[in-house]
Amino acid sequence: MANQTLIAESIAAFAAALEREQIPPEIWQRAKLLTLDAIGVAFASSGCEFARKTRAALTAFGRGDTQVIGMPDKLALRDAVLLNSVLVHGLDYDDTYLPGSVHLTASCVPAALGMAAHVGASGREFMLATLLGLEIGARLGCAGNGGFLRAGFHATGILGAFACSIVAGRLLRLDREQLAMTQGIALSTASGTMQPIEDGAWTKRMHPGWAAAGGITSAMLAREGFIGPRAPYEGQFGLFSCFLGAHASVANPSAVSDGLGTRWEFVRSSIKLFPACHQTHAFMNATLKLGRAHAIDPQQVETIKTLVAEAAIPVICEPLASKRRPDSSYAAQFSLPYTIACCLTRGKFGLPDLEEASYTDPALRALAQKVSYEIDPNPGFPKFRSGEVHVTMKNGAKFQCREQIVPDEPAPEAAIVEKFMNNAQLRMTADRAAKIRDMILGIETLENTRSLASSLAGV
């Protein structure tokens, strides 16, 4: 390693030197749309039980001067950032960078929002730092090549710590040496496994918040000269060796710096149009297409067989008995049988389908019992997400459809804006939602991001 540029050093050089003029207009616009989407989801989450309980817990630590999305509270910087991240990720409705199975905005947008308000940064500086974090998070996810999920880790929590250390470091105007050091410190804050999805626990919601708080802490420590390891990624006990474990051989560390600044990875992040685990979306699209094409009567369905990527089975298919009878909104979001039953019965899947009255509906549960799975021999994971659905009717008729979601097919701008407006209006008037929309999409005109933070708070 002595004769090679370390990954942290390459990232630090890029982060320290990047200026707005180097970023193509369409890349800049995509970062703003991702930010808009994240904030809209946070509004939708802010009235949920998990949000209220997180707010109560963090408020017990005391008040501060950093505002929270959709809430009147002001908390200490790290607590506000943690809560905002929980809000963005809490409904699992935030964007996903599919090659790395990582939710990029859930940690980067709250970290940037909190730190930018803390230092009084302009809207332009806020957006540039956010964009940097999104890009670093995407590239680290790409380098993992799907291995973090296979190893049982939640890439969002792990990689978000490094991405947010760069977000905060840029807003603190750290130099190259400090930006390299903040990543080394972030290694000791990275955490989060996929265990919560086994029983619908809430802790997965917390992972990006812990990452954002860790990234901010790392940057503050680096600013004061705190020393971290210089090879947090490729070192013997670094990110790739420890967090990939037996899957370390699939990693491609060169993907982090290859074309950095000339080829933008984060723009491939997919905006969710269903509030459920992205692993289910291709199946949902296939089911909706079958339902429309053949006017399928759910009561006449005999069986539904699915072909699922092996890496996705522990996430959306097992334990199968529980997945067929989700007992919480969170469990419903990670249930392939339930999401398929909803799509075939109702022809859609939205936030109302996560309510208790929906996931306990006897008709939906009866249909979910008919959903089974087999390992997909040609899944294409992690480059894209496939979903193959075979429906057999009681009269013997058989229908099948295979869909795939690739990150180069993001939702169009109009759909993203519509999603924001729908989510925001769950908590405010259309006029206020429109003003916030316009503020975010015109972020360059803001002299101080504190005005944005204030506009988002106190719904």
Side-chain angles (χ1 to χ4, degrees):
M1 276 188 287
N3 296 323
Q4 298 177 343
T5 300
L6 296 171
I7 293 173
E9 293 174 351
S10 296
I11 293 174
F14 171 64
L18 186 67
E19 296 297 340
R20 167 66 183 92
E21 292 71 23
Q22 299 170 259
I23 302 168
E26 66 275 13
I27 304 301
W28 185 259
Q29 180 69 4
R30 199 68 190 174
K32 291 196 291 186
L33 288 169
L34 285 165
T35 300
L36 181 74
D37 182 66
I39 291 173
V41 175
F43 280 131
S45 296
S46 62
C48 296
E49 182 185 12
F50 68 82
R52 294 192 297 270
K53 290 185 180 296
T54 306
R55 170 190 178 185
L58 295 177
T59 302
F61 288 116
R63 304 288 178 171
D65 59 3
T66 304
Q67 290 164 307
V68 179
I69 298 172
M71 296 181 178
D73 309 82
K74 286 187 177 182
L75 301 176
L77 173 60
R78 286 183 297 186
D79 291 341
V81 165
L82 195 162
L83 179 49
N84 281 336
S85 292
V86 169
L87 295 177
V88 175
H89 190 54
L91 291 174
D92 223 275
Y93 205 5
D94 48 324
D95 63 287
T96 310
Y97 174 72
L98 293 172
S101 296
V102 56
H103 301 268
L104 298 175
T105 59
S107 56
C108 290
V109 170
L113 184 65
M115 184 59 77
H118 179 72
V119 301
S122 68
R124 180 182 172 119
E125 291 169 323
F126 158 79
M127 201 67 252
L128 184 58
T130 301
L131 184 149
L132 272 168
L134 297 176
E135 182 66 8
I136 298 309
R139 285 178 167 273
L140 291 173
C142 184
N145 199 27
F148 295 111
L149 180 61
R150 292 189 179 101
F153 284 105
H154 186 201
T156 301
I158 304 300
L159 306 181
F162 298 100
C164 289
S165 75
I166 293 298
V167 170
R170 174 70 190 218
L171 287 166
L172 288 171
R173 300 183 179 180
L174 303 187
D175 61 27
R176 283 179 57 173
E177 171 64 17
Q178 292 169 321
L179 286 168
M181 198 55 59
T182 191
Q183 297 167 77
I185 300 169
L187 175 63
S188 291
T189 73
S191 65
T193 78
M194 295 301 290
Q195 182 63 29
I197 66 166
E198 285 208 350
D199 56 6
W202 290 9
T203 45
K204 180 175 174 288
R205 294 178 167 119
M206 189 181 77
H207 294 167
W210 206 248
I216 286 175
T217 303
S218 300
M220 289 288 203
L221 289 169
R223 184 178 67 171
E224 300 303 322
F226 197 88
I227 298 174
R230 292 192 170 276
Y233 303 111
E234 62 273 75
Q236 181 181 356
F237 304 110
L239 173 70
F240 296 120
S241 61
C242 284
F243 286 95
L244 293 176
H247 304 280
S249 61
V250 308
N252 178 24
S254 65
V256 179
S257 54
D258 183 23
L260 187 61
T262 57
R263 187 189 73 252
W264 297 91
E265 278 294 319
F266 82 88
V267 296
R268 303 173 67 197
S269 191
S270 295
I271 299 286
K272 285 187 176 184
L273 299 182
F274 299 122
C277 175
H278 231 129
Q279 301 283 2
T280 67
H281 286 208
F283 295 94
M284 295 163 79
N285 285 335
T287 303
L288 290 169
K289 184 175 288 188
L290 285 174
R292 289 191 295 265
H294 304 289
I296 294 174
D297 180 353
Q299 294 185 337
Q300 298 304 311
V301 171
E302 182 71 25
T303 62
I304 301 174
K305 184 182 77 173
T306 61
L307 297 185
V308 185
E310 188 171 8
I313 288 172
V315 180
I316 60 175
C317 297
E318 288 291 346
L320 186 57
S322 298
K323 296 295 185 183
R324 286 171 168 168
R325 293 177 61 88
D327 59 2
S328 69
S329 61
Y330 206 57
Q333 291 176 294
F334 288 86
S335 166
L336 182 61
Y338 174 70
T339 55
I340 285 178
C342 264
C343 288
L344 197 58
T345 301
R346 298 174 174 174
K348 62 181 180 62
F349 191 90
L351 289 174
D353 299 301
L354 300 178
E355 299 293 334
E356 184 175 2
S358 182
Y359 62 74
T360 60
D361 184 317
L364 290 179
R365 285 191 164 182
L367 187 56
Q369 289 293 324
K370 299 178 180 181
V371 179
S372 62
Y373 75 88
E374 295 178 6
I375 295 175
D376 190 341
N378 300 296
F381 179 86
K383 290 184 178 180
F384 53 83
R385 304 293 189 271
S386 297
E388 187 166 328
V389 179
H390 297 251
V391 178
T392 300
M393 306 299 292
K394 291 179 180 179
N395 65 4
K398 296 183 178 182
F399 310 111
Q400 72 177 72
C401 183
R402 184 178 180 90
E403 288 287 304
Q404 68 182 37
I405 295 175
V406 298
D408 296 300
E409 295 175 346
E413 180 168 339
I416 298 171
V417 173
E418 180 182 9
K419 178 186 170 184
F420 168 82
M421 291 297 291
N422 290 337
N423 282 333
Q425 287 178 82
L426 294 173
R427 302 289 290 159
M428 66 184 71
T429 66
D431 285 345
R432 183 175 179 188
K435 289 177 181 177
I436 293 173
R437 174 200 63 200
D438 294 345
M439 183 177 289
I440 295 169
L441 294 180
I443 194 76
E444 305 90 338
T445 63
L446 292 184
E447 294 183 4
N448 193 316
T449 314
R450 289 172 185 156
S451 60
L452 173 61
S454 296
S455 73
L456 302 181
V459 174

